[in-house]
Amino acid sequence: MAIAIRKASEIQSIAAASKIVAKTLNHLKAQLKPGITLKEIDDMGEKFIRSCGGKPSFKGLYGFSGSVCTSVNEVIIHGVPNEYTLKEGDIVGLDIGVEFNGWFGDAAITCGIGNISEEDERLIACSKDALYFAISQIKAGMHFKELSGLLEDFILDYGYVPLLGFCGHGIGRKPHEAPEIPNYLEGKKAKQGDKIKEGMVFCIEPMICQKEGQPKILEDQWSVVSSDGMRGSHYEHTVAVINGKAEILSKE
């Protein structure tokens, strides 16, 4: 499938959806505390998205039941909101997609609940730092595989490993479009395949494991953990290539 090149007006439409995502994430982050359930977070997220004129694009997507992916501790991505009650020292990933006027935005953060360990602070910092590092490196003309290789090297240098089998992605008229953007280099050659071009819009989302990157899907058929059974983290932004560089769309 060809990678879409967006006009300035189309990028503005994706940015409008992405801004609702950012506002919702900030709203939910302020509500996080011990004693709140994942279902309550999900309900608040859906209500807030709709109050902004958007629709929660994850709800019903591929059969997902919630509006917000709520991934606690060992769950790295795709956590299903349920009656689990957050506790002091937990970490939780919030991943949100929004449709607004037929266009889509997507972003994710990982947050600590109350006081968390230094190890978990560093784990979360890895995914956030990897995301912003990757965004800073994006230039029109580079290969997507080069970006994947840079992400992998950054994560490994931090002392962690990327989750295998899952990736960032294009976004626009659909929540997931071409290209797929792994957080690791597939094969040995980075300078091959599709190139990043002016007007492309896509999501970068480092997913961090501690020891092993092999994924395991839990009984709910959604929650993804590492085969090492340890905690993970996840950060994501929607970006557009404007004037040869990446500009973050999923921010207030």
Side-chain angles (χ1 to χ4, degrees):
M1 182 184 296
I3 303 170
I5 305 294
R6 303 296 183 188
K7 297 181 291 186
S9 61
E10 294 176 322
I11 292 175
Q12 289 173 358
S13 295
I14 300 170
S18 299
K19 185 174 182 179
I20 296 174
V21 173
K23 290 174 68 175
T24 307
L25 285 171
N26 287 333
H27 173 71
L28 293 180
K29 184 177 180 180
Q31 311 302 316
L32 294 177
K33 60 184 178 181
I36 193 171
T37 70
L38 303 184
K39 189 66 171 65
E40 287 172 330
I41 294 170
D42 186 63
D43 290 343
M44 285 190 293
E46 179 173 356
K47 183 177 180 180
F48 189 87
I49 290 167
R50 294 191 186 280
S51 76
C52 295
K55 297 178 182 178
S57 61
F58 291 172
K59 191 163 189 176
L61 183 67
Y62 315 127
F64 189 75
S65 61
S67 299
V68 182
C69 291
T70 51
S71 303
V72 179
N73 296 334
E74 292 80 13
V75 179
I76 303 165
I77 53 171
H78 301 167
V80 179
N82 54 31
E83 297 302 329
Y84 178 83
T85 301
L86 290 174
K87 299 174 178 61
E88 183 90 8
D90 282 345
I91 62 174
V92 59
L94 305 177
D95 189 356
I96 294 175
V98 165
E99 178 188 354
F100 183 68
N101 292 335
W103 295 90
F104 290 83
D106 191 357
I109 57 176
T110 300
C111 304
I113 305 302
N115 294 312
I116 64 173
S117 68
E118 290 184 6
E119 291 83 0
D120 285 342
E121 290 275 13
R122 192 169 189 277
L123 178 66
I124 293 171
C126 179
S127 55
K128 184 175 183 179
D129 291 349
L131 173 61
Y132 284 97
F133 168 75
I135 291 170
S136 74
Q137 298 300 302
I138 292 169
K139 297 178 179 63
M142 75 186 296
H143 295 266
F144 279 101
K145 281 195 167 187
E146 292 180 86
L147 181 60
S148 293
L150 288 170
L151 271 163
E152 182 176 27
D153 289 344
F154 186 94
I155 294 166
L156 293 176
D157 287 345
Y158 224 109
Y160 300 106
V161 295
L163 179 68
L164 303 177
F166 295 87
C167 57
H169 53 88
I171 191 169
R173 280 295 193 184
K174 298 178 181 179
H176 298 118
E177 298 183 354
E180 293 186 345
I181 310 168
N183 298 302
Y184 51 92
L185 178 61
E186 294 180 300
K188 296 182 179 180
K189 295 183 179 180
K191 293 191 175 183
Q192 63 179 19
D194 292 315
K195 288 186 176 182
I196 296 171
K197 297 179 181 178
E198 185 80 9
M200 288 183 174
V201 182
F202 46 88
C203 297
I204 303 295
E205 48 180 317
M207 308 163 200
I208 309 302
C209 306
Q210 295 198 43
K211 299 295 183 183
E212 300 173 8
Q214 197 64 38
K216 178 181 177 182
I217 298 176
L218 300 184
E219 289 182 5
D220 63 15
Q221 301 301 309
W222 282 101
S223 301
V224 181
V225 301
S226 166
S227 57
D228 62 26
M230 303 175 77
R231 292 184 174 192
S233 68
H234 175 217
Y235 255 81
E236 178 182 13
H237 267 311
T238 298
V239 303
V241 183
I242 301 172
N243 296 323
K245 299 183 296 182
E247 183 172 311
I248 298 171
L249 303 185
S250 47
K251 62 182 181 179
E252 289 197 71

